[in-house]
Amino acid sequence: MSPAKPVGPVSPGSPLSSSSHVRPVGPVKAVLFDRDGTLVHDVPYNGDPERVRPVEGAREAVALLRARDIRVGVVTNQSGVARGLISGTDVRRVNRRIDDLLGPFDVWAICPHGPDDGCHCRKPQPGLVLWAAGRVCTDPADCVVVGDIGADTEAAARAGAHGILVPNARTRPEETEAAAHTAPDLLTAVRSLLDDPAPAGPALDGPAPDAPHDGGARSGQRPATTAPAPSGGAPDPCRRPS
C-alpha cells in the first residue's frame, strides 16, 4: 500500500486514503492509540493475555513511528474494572502482552471507571489524552489520537489534540460521518502522518457522544470530577535512553 498523497484540506467526514489527505499544521511528536478495536482486536472485558491479537498492520505502524522518533502511547477505557468483570492486575497483564507484541510503548493511560463515576479520564472526556501528553512531555496540539469510535476523536478534540478515526465493524455509521478525519486502516493512518505533520483538529459544536468504548461497553457519560488512573509501567516520560 503506497502512502497517501497530500492534496490539501479535508472536509469533515472525508475519508483519508491514497487520494485524499489532511492539511499539515505542525510536526507530530506523539501518537496515542486506543487499545481495543484499534491496536488489537476487541475482546470485551478481556483479562486474558493469550486472547490478545494485534490488528493487521499494527506492528508496522508502530515501528514506523518509532523509526521517526515519534513517541507512542495507549489511552484506553477499561470500565470492566469498575464493573467487577476484570481486575487491575488483569488489565496490566493484557497491557504487558501488548507491549511484548507491539511495544514497548512510551506511556499507558487507563481509565478503570464506569460510565456513572463522573471521572474526567473516561473518553470522550480529555483526561487520558492530557495526562498521556504530559507524560511524554508533548503539547496536546502536537499529538494525534487514533481510535475506532467517536469517543476517541472527541477526547482528542477536547484535549486540543488531533484525531483520526479508523472505523471497524463496531463503529457506528454516525461516528464515521461525524469524524473530521478517517482512514481505512491503522497503517494508512500512520503513513499519512509521516507524509504530512498533522491533521487540523475539528471544532466542538455540541455535546460529547454518548457511546464510549471501554473493552466491551457503550453507555452514557457524566461530567468529569476525578483524575485519570494511568497504568502499564510507562518509562520516565521526559527522558529517553541515550
Side-chain angles (χ1 to χ4, degrees):
M1 182 183 299
S2 61
K5 299 179 180 180
V7 296
V10 174
S11 60
S14 298
L16 185 62
S17 65
S18 60
S19 62
S20 64
H21 212 288
V22 295
R23 177 171 53 88
V25 296
V28 174
K29 296 182 180 178
V31 176
L32 305 174
F33 296 95
D34 171 58
R35 196 189 84 173
D36 304 305
T38 300
L39 278 177
V40 298
H41 290 285
D42 185 22
V43 177
Y45 306 118
N46 184 30
D48 182 0
E50 295 303 315
R51 301 183 72 187
V52 172
R53 296 290 183 272
V55 303
E56 184 177 357
R59 292 183 180 88
E60 184 178 353
V62 176
L64 285 173
L65 293 169
R66 291 197 189 96
R68 298 290 186 93
D69 204 34
I70 295 172
R71 308 300 291 269
V72 290
V74 181
V75 288
T76 176
N77 290 349
Q78 293 297 321
S79 74
V81 177
R83 299 171 194 267
L85 300 173
I86 54 175
S87 68
T89 298
D90 292 331
V91 173
R92 288 188 290 273
R93 291 173 63 233
V94 169
N95 292 346
R96 283 196 294 269
R97 177 60 174 165
I98 296 172
D99 259 342
D100 290 342
L101 294 173
L102 302 175
F105 288 90
D106 296 303
V107 62
W108 282 86
I110 293 95
C111 174
H113 304 116
D116 297 324
D117 289 343
C119 71
H120 81 263
C121 50
R122 180 178 166 85
K123 295 176 292 184
Q125 298 296 333
L128 288 183
V129 176
L130 293 171
W131 188 89
R135 288 287 293 176
V136 295
C137 300
T138 301
D139 191 290
D142 298 324
C143 294
V144 174
V145 177
V146 182
D148 66 320
I149 67 168
D152 299 315
T153 53
E154 187 76 7
R158 287 179 178 270
H162 313 285
I164 297 179
L165 186 74
V166 180
N168 56 35
R170 295 178 60 87
T171 310
R172 293 176 175 174
E174 59 266 31
E175 293 174 326
T176 303
E177 293 171 4
H181 305 294
T182 67
D185 55 66
L186 191 64
L187 188 53
T188 299
V190 165
R191 283 176 167 168
S192 75
L193 297 175
L194 301 181
D195 286 344
D196 279 347
L204 290 177
D205 296 325
D210 61 356
H213 177 57
D214 52 53
R218 288 176 178 268
S219 54
Q221 174 69 28
R222 295 198 332 183
T225 59
T226 59
S231 176
D236 182 348
C238 299
R239 300 179 62 184
R240 283 190 163 186
S242 58

